[in-house]
Amino acid sequence: MAHAYRAVQWNRYKRLYDAVLAGGCVAYHVLFVGIGAATHPRATIETLVIRATATLAFLLLTVVLSIGPLCRLDPRLLPLLYNRRHLGVVTFLVAATHGVFSIVQFHALGDTHPLVSVLTANTEFASVSQFPFQPLGLLALLVLALMALTSHDFWLATLGPTTWKSLHMLVYAAWGLVVVHVALGVLQAERHPAFPVLVGAGVLWVGGIHAAAGLRERRGDRERPAAREGAWVEVCSADAIADGRAHVASVGDERVAVFRRGERLFALSNVCPHQGGPLGEGRIVDGCVTCPWHGHQFDPETGAAPPPYEDRATTIPLAVRDGTVWIAPDAERTS
Amino acid sequence: MSHGDEFFVGHAPRMPESTRRRVRRVAAALVACGLALGVALTMLQARFDEGVFEFGVERTFDGVLLAEPYPVLLVADADGAGPRTILLSAPGKHGADALVADLVGRPVEVTGSLIDNGRREMIEVHAVRDLSADARLPAVDAGGESLGRLILAGEIVDSKCHLGVMKPGRDKTHKACAIRCISGGVPPVLRVEDRHGRLAYFLLVGTDGRAIGRELLSMIAEPVEVTGDVTRFGDLLVMRTEPASIRRPASR
């Protein structure tokens, strides 16, 4: 939606979000290193920093992956999603700190280049217990770096929403690599059962809420069967749509949002052209359809974003017959 | 965010009041849970080894330099009980061979940082000065006592990290670093722990007494069984072994 790209389009909420995030990260490190040094007098600071950044990056990545499905399950949590990209970038920065400290600690000042050493020091690929876990962490870090570097709207516009979204789905690959990195690394060194229990709980949590959100979406699609008459598909009663709100109908593999603005009704693809947010869960604000994810706005009649922005949502022909809303999803659209 | 009549728009100048309250509660809960988890995790970490690396602190040690095959300083014990051995390494992940090459067999003054885990010492060598003209150092007997052929189960570690530079300086998480150190010339040591938790260290050399660090790289930081002839040189146990004969336990 951005017309002129800026590094960050700051607003009050983003500032608050980032302040809480940064403050929480600093407090986490102070507590982890401070209490760690007090309870383990023989600990070295660099080891505590490596572990603080490792545990925090794992925690943040778990939160990043949880926000999407949680918002599907409970839209009241959507304010957490609004600035998720900053959370993702901070996760990368924390993970990068862990990576740099670890590479320096374990691989620098030796007879081989540190990055080469990460990949070649341990070559026990045929062994489960001795499998090299560090290259997995490095690979996860590279994926997170790629995502952090392309998180800006410039890359979203340059790559296109589909490619950009596909690229950023690699976060699940990064998550898998991190889980195996942890399982084959620190879980083989720490003896307290809390460590495998917490990692296992994190994996079950992330998998569980994704499954729950997916089931809910699928159930929602089944609950909105649409009748057809030629090119036209029956959606719902026109009276069923409250002013400023939408009704979402499943038509084939697509979801369509039918919005009411006063006396008029408009049909648009439910997919926000910005980042694929569910437009139908948004509202009409200042006469425009407003996406619940990032607040991007579109004229419901034309699909165009207000000037100077250039995004355009896909509009779909709509007719009201005898108080029933019909749409023609296969007819010519504007987008 | 849609809940009741409220709708959250991030770039709007003001957030609806009930949304603001909810966001505050959720953010506070997330931060509190994260911090509590961090405190729990740092307290639940396994105990750190006792070793100390006096990083940034320099001491001097007088003794006789040996290098068969790894550099060792033989020093007179303070209580006169006999000489004790101190392993030597260079800064970083390197052995001290190049630093002492011209001074083997001579009395020297070694300046460096001490690494000590209470059972064995090492000096990270910063400088070595020849003391050949100094008559104060007594001659030391470097002769050994054979303890016979032994089969020992333990873990091959790099002596520098294990004695105090790294925490932990053994096991899987330290494997790559140990490989790097031993590849760089840091003396490899077999760490053996008996069922009572008592530790013994065996400096590993080839059957002909040569350095064998690079030949051990595939066996480092994991449970192994080593067979070899053990000789005691003062307080230093040296095991002559054939690297190819080192075995992993059957269940890996």
Side-chain angles (χ1 to χ4, degrees):
Chain A
M1 185 171 182
H3 179 65
Y5 296 109
R6 298 179 195 164
V8 179
Q9 299 209 10
W10 288 108
N11 57 48
R12 184 169 182 272
Y13 183 68
K14 282 186 181 178
R15 288 193 181 91
L16 282 171
Y17 193 113
D18 287 5
V20 171
L21 181 57
C25 288
V26 170
Y28 186 96
H29 282 93
V30 169
L31 285 174
F32 193 103
V33 175
I35 293 176
T39 54
H40 299 280
R42 292 298 190 191
T44 55
I45 292 298
E46 59 270 23
T47 297
L48 290 173
V49 170
I50 285 173
R51 293 178 177 186
T53 49
T55 52
L56 181 58
F58 190 91
L59 185 61
L60 290 174
L61 193 54
T62 304
V63 174
V64 166
L65 288 171
S66 301
I67 287 176
L70 281 178
C71 290
R72 306 304 300 150
L73 294 168
D74 187 349
R76 291 178 300 174
L77 296 172
L78 277 167
L80 295 179
L81 186 141
Y82 175 71
N83 204 29
R84 185 173 52 173
R85 272 192 275 184
H86 288 202
L87 180 58
V89 171
V90 168
T91 301
F92 160 69
L93 293 175
V94 173
T97 306
H98 169 72
V100 169
F101 266 76
S102 298
I103 290 170
V104 169
Q105 174 95 329
F106 297 125
H107 296 276
L109 303 175
D111 59 354
T112 303
H113 189 284
L115 288 175
V116 174
S117 176
V118 171
L119 300 173
T120 60
N122 178 6
T123 55
E124 297 285 324
F125 293 101
S127 166
V128 174
S129 64
Q130 298 300 318
F131 193 93
F133 66 99
Q134 292 174 338
L136 302 175
L138 180 62
L139 195 53
L141 185 59
L142 292 175
V143 172
L144 293 177
L146 183 65
M147 293 171 57
L149 289 170
T150 58
S151 64
H152 196 272
D153 269 350
F154 168 79
W155 287 105
L156 177 60
T158 302
L159 298 172
T162 305
T163 305
W164 188 88
K165 192 72 180 177
S166 300
L167 178 67
H168 283 247
M169 291 298 277
L170 286 175
V171 69
Y172 292 101
W175 164 252
L177 288 166
V178 167
V179 169
V180 181
H181 170 73
V182 170
L184 295 178
V186 69
L187 291 191
Q188 292 187 20
E190 290 292 349
R191 302 288 180 252
H192 198 284
F195 289 93
V197 166
L198 285 169
V199 172
V203 172
L204 287 176
W205 163 258
V206 170
I209 58 172
H210 277 78
L215 286 173
R216 186 181 174 126
E217 294 277 305
R218 189 179 294 182
R219 194 163 54 238
D221 286 343
R222 280 203 301 268
E223 287 170 356
R224 293 191 283 268
R228 274 186 176 271
E229 259 185 35
W232 291 90
V233 178
E234 180 185 347
V235 175
C236 64
S237 164
D239 295 338
I241 306 172
D243 190 23
R245 305 280 186 98
H247 175 88
V248 178
S250 290
V251 182
D253 296 332
E254 184 183 27
R255 293 184 191 136
V256 175
V258 180
F259 275 92
R260 175 180 287 282
R261 186 176 69 184
E263 295 299 314
R264 298 190 62 189
L265 295 169
F266 306 91
L268 298 93
S269 165
N270 194 49
V271 180
C272 177
H274 174 231
Q275 277 192 34
L279 279 182
E281 293 171 27
R283 300 283 181 86
I284 300 285
V285 176
D286 298 331
C288 288
V289 169
T290 305
C291 181
W293 280 13
H294 302 99
H296 282 226
Q297 294 188 301
F298 308 94
D299 183 328
E301 188 158 13
T302 64
Y309 303 112
E310 297 165 352
D311 294 16
R312 185 177 283 272
T314 302
T315 60
I316 296 167
L318 174 147
V320 179
R321 295 186 216 147
D322 300 328
T324 300
V325 177
W326 294 78
I327 59 172
D330 300 326
E332 190 176 344
R333 305 175 175 196
T334 63
S335 62
Chain B
M1 189 188 80
S2 58
H3 178 64
D5 289 332
E6 290 193 353
F7 182 66
F8 169 77
V9 180
H11 53 72
R14 284 200 64 78
M15 194 183 292
E17 185 54 34
S18 67
T19 303
R20 194 156 62 94
R21 282 198 302 271
R22 189 178 308 111
V23 169
R24 276 184 181 175
R25 282 199 301 269
V26 171
L30 278 174
V31 171
C33 286
L35 296 182
L37 196 59
V39 170
L41 289 173
T42 198
M43 293 180 74
L44 291 175
Q45 293 174 94
R47 198 170 64 83
F48 285 73
D49 292 336
E50 292 295 312
V52 172
F53 175 35
E54 296 181 346
F55 182 74
V57 178
E58 277 197 340
R59 300 191 193 200
T60 56
F61 302 82
D62 292 351
V64 175
L65 200 56
L66 306 177
E68 293 297 335
Y70 309 106
V72 171
L73 189 67
L74 200 57
V75 299
D77 209 359
D79 59 8
R84 76 181 200 277
T85 53
I86 304 178
L87 298 171
L88 303 178
S89 70
K93 295 173 171 56
H94 297 282
D97 306 68
L99 294 172
V100 303
D102 300 332
L103 300 168
V104 174
R106 296 186 191 175
V108 294
E109 179 193 82
V110 173
T111 302
S113 297
L114 185 66
I115 304 161
D116 182 5
N117 76 343
R119 294 196 56 81
R120 176 140 292 286
E121 297 164 292
M122 171 178 269
I123 303 167
E124 181 186 271
V125 179
H126 300 158
V128 185
R129 187 165 69 91
D130 191 349
L131 295 180
S132 295
D134 192 329
R136 288 176 301 171
L137 280 175
V140 289
D141 177 12
E145 168 197 359
S146 173
L147 300 182
R149 191 164 186 80
L150 300 178
I151 302 172
L152 297 171
E155 176 185 335
I156 300 171
V157 297
D158 79 88
S159 48
K160 184 175 184 181
C161 290
H162 180 71
L163 295 179
V165 173
M166 293 285 196
K167 310 286 184 69
R170 62 190 178 95
D171 281 343
K172 176 77 175 292
T173 50
H174 185 257
K175 186 183 184 81
C177 180
I179 289 171
R180 199 73 294 121
C181 285
I182 291 176
S183 173
V186 172
V189 164
L190 179 66
R191 175 190 181 275
V192 177
E193 183 174 355
D194 71 12
R195 59 185 170 179
H196 303 295
R198 289 175 299 210
L199 292 175
Y201 296 109
F202 297 80
L203 193 62
L204 294 176
V205 301
T207 50
D208 55 358
R210 72 192 189 285
I212 55 171
R214 286 179 179 272
E215 295 157 79
L216 298 173
L217 298 185
S218 65
M219 293 287 184
I220 289 169
E222 59 181 294
V224 289
E225 197 175 83
V226 185
T227 302
D229 298 313
V230 177
T231 306
R232 181 193 299 280
F233 294 92
D235 62 346
L236 182 66
L237 294 168
V238 176
M239 183 178 225
R240 288 178 178 243
T241 186
E242 172 52 48
S245 71
I246 297 174
R247 298 277 177 255
R248 297 184 173 96
S251 58
R252 291 184 69 205

